[in-house]
Amino acid sequence: MLFRSDPRWSPSGTRLAWSEARDGRCDLVTAPADGSGPAVVVTGDTGAGGGFAWATDDLLVVVGEDGRLVVTAADGGRIRSLTTEGRAAAPAVGPEGTVACVIDRGDACDVATVPLDGSAWPTRVSAADFAWDPAWSPDGRLAWHEWDLPAVPWDDSRVVERGPDGTTRTVAAGAGCGQPRYSIDGRLGYLRGQRLWVDDAVVLDEEHEHGEPAWSPGARAWAWSPDGTEVAWCRNEAGFGRLVIGAPGRRSARDLSKGWHRALDWGREGIVCIRSGAVTPPGVTVLAPNGSSRRVVARGPVGGFEAAGPVEPRAVSWRSGSATVPGLLWRRESSAERPGLFVLVHGGPTAQALADWNPRIQALVERGWTVLQPNYRGSSGYGAEHRDALVGQWGEYDTADVAAGIRHAGREGGGDPGRVVVMGGSAGGFTALNVAARHP
């Protein structure tokens, strides 16, 4: 199955690049932005494995399949290697031909800089236990996301900025920090408390979260406009996504598009992203910022369900002890009065069940199942209090919340309590086993 991700405009906006993964292999492809020609694989001899960045309209910096950072021509062919040790990730090209990237050596994960021309080896610039997602300002400042053990990045981390003279300052600290990036006029935006901030002020004071937990580098849940006057972000509305546009200091935002919009990059030709939804397979999509058009450049996996009419979930909630637990219920109305209940428990435990493209769920619903996805205490997307409620109670509250959801679905006619399947992976597998053991 083919998966596309991480689309980005070239500096002039005449080209698009994105990653394509299929059968265990990932490559970077480029294509004319106006669709006048086919997409071309440019990493045939290196593969792709950890992000990329445009250096010029003709050059890209790519993390190869083996973890090395290489310079590649935009029409194909490796030019030179910039790193030889560790695994690189999340490169960013700054002024005067300097590349910043993450280098993970197993016992350390640092932000380092290296000349684009390969005239020197990487130099470490971060000092924390872990650091990633470097971003350059037009005047040579460098920001990144860092944290120290035993913390995890979504609980306690920092956005740090390094000036051209090498001095550093902490811009933001606490839970939900990350994704720093600069506007064309040098203002620094970042996530803090899973909200979008610019220059130490929240862009829009609303209850919704604007980013997912920082499990890995390279996330782009928001983007600056080319002129630096506005920002676009994907709002999390209790598991349903919506792309909105606002401006620092403005009291409201305008809706642009429903669905989940990831890997946002706003160029002169529009906003490019991976757009998906409960009934929409993911695809490389370009949206006009004024809402006048939407164009799918490259489609992702379809899975064969579109003709059958995929279903949308509905938001549900139930009581578990003193808590209200949210979730998603997927069901197709049929002659079966009490269909079997298939409970899918997400991992993390800080993940979240989303109204997003999921062939497994659509296949189960097509075969007559009702599917329940609990967002138990510990899940992201519902604020810090809900996420942090599982601290010190892992294996307890999550188990109780899933069991309460099963009982609620049975009472409300959402599923046959005598035919229940509980399934999960990672933290979700731990919870599924606990449910089976404690609530047989």
Side-chain angles (χ1 to χ4, degrees), residues 150-161:
V152 287
W154 53 88
D155 280 336
D156 187 11
S157 60
R158 305 174 293 276
V159 172
V160 174
E161 182 181 65

Side-chain angles (χ1 to χ4, degrees), residues 25-41:
R25 164 88 181 193
C26 184
D27 276 299
L28 187 68
V29 302
T30 63
D34 60 5
S36 59
V40 177
V41 173

Side-chain angles (χ1 to χ4, degrees), residues 316 318 325-329 342-346 351-353 371-377 379 382 386 398 401-403 405-406 422-423 431:
V316 295
W318 56 89
V325 181
L328 298 176
L329 190 72
F342 210 110
V343 183
L344 289 178
V345 187
H346 69 69
Q352 181 187 9
V371 178
L372 176 66
Q373 291 184 287
N375 280 316
Y376 51 82
R377 280 171 284 183
S379 306
Y382 301 90
H386 187 79
D398 49 346
D401 293 353
V402 172
I406 295 171
V422 185
M423 178 179 178
T431 304

Side-chain angles (χ1 to χ4, degrees), residues 294-390:
R294 185 171 66 208
R295 173 170 60 99
V296 178
V297 177
R299 301 202 61 181
V302 174
F305 301 108
E306 285 182 311
V311 301
E312 290 259 13
R314 61 182 176 92
V316 295
S317 63
W318 56 89
R319 297 293 294 175
S320 177
S322 60
T324 298
V325 181
L328 298 176
L329 190 72
W330 307 66
R331 182 182 183 185
R332 187 186 303 280
E333 297 300 328
S334 66
S335 57
E337 294 183 3
R338 300 295 288 259
L341 181 65
F342 210 110
V343 183
L344 289 178
V345 187
H346 69 69
T350 55
Q352 181 187 9
L354 302 174
D356 204 355
W357 182 250
N358 192 318
R360 171 180 285 167
I361 291 177
Q362 299 293 351
L364 289 168
V365 172
E366 185 64 22
R367 286 158 175 77
W369 291 88
T370 290
V371 178
L372 176 66
Q373 291 184 287
N375 280 316
Y376 51 82
R377 280 171 284 183
S379 306
S380 58
Y382 301 90
E385 183 178 354
H386 187 79
R387 186 191 65 240
D388 294 343
L390 196 60

Side-chain angles (χ1 to χ4, degrees), residues 141 161 169 171-172 181-183 185-192 196-203 222 224 228 248-249:
R141 288 171 290 152
E161 182 181 65
R169 71 181 183 100
V171 177
R181 53 189 60 101
Y182 291 93
S183 65
D185 56 2
R187 286 178 296 164
L188 178 58
Y190 50 88
L191 294 182
R192 178 184 174 190
L196 180 55
W197 294 64
V198 172
D199 294 335
D200 301 325
V202 66
V203 171
W222 73 277
W224 282 103

Side-chain angles (χ1 to χ4, degrees), residues 217-295:
R220 299 201 315 277
W222 73 277
W224 282 103
S225 64
D227 62 4
T229 61
E230 294 185 308
V231 285
W233 67 89
C234 190
R235 175 193 286 158
N236 187 334
E237 300 177 349
F240 293 80
R242 186 185 304 271
L243 184 63
V244 298
I245 293 177
R250 190 184 295 168
R251 294 186 177 181
S252 62
R254 67 180 187 271
D255 295 352
L256 186 63
S257 175
K258 293 176 65 176
W260 285 97
H261 301 75
R262 297 180 174 90
L264 295 171
D265 191 21
W266 194 343
R268 283 171 289 187
E269 303 302 315
I271 300 172
V272 67
C273 63
I274 300 295
R275 179 178 181 269
S276 61
V279 298
T280 306
V284 179
T285 306
V286 176
L287 303 101
N290 62 6
S292 62
S293 65
R294 185 171 66 208
R295 173 170 60 99

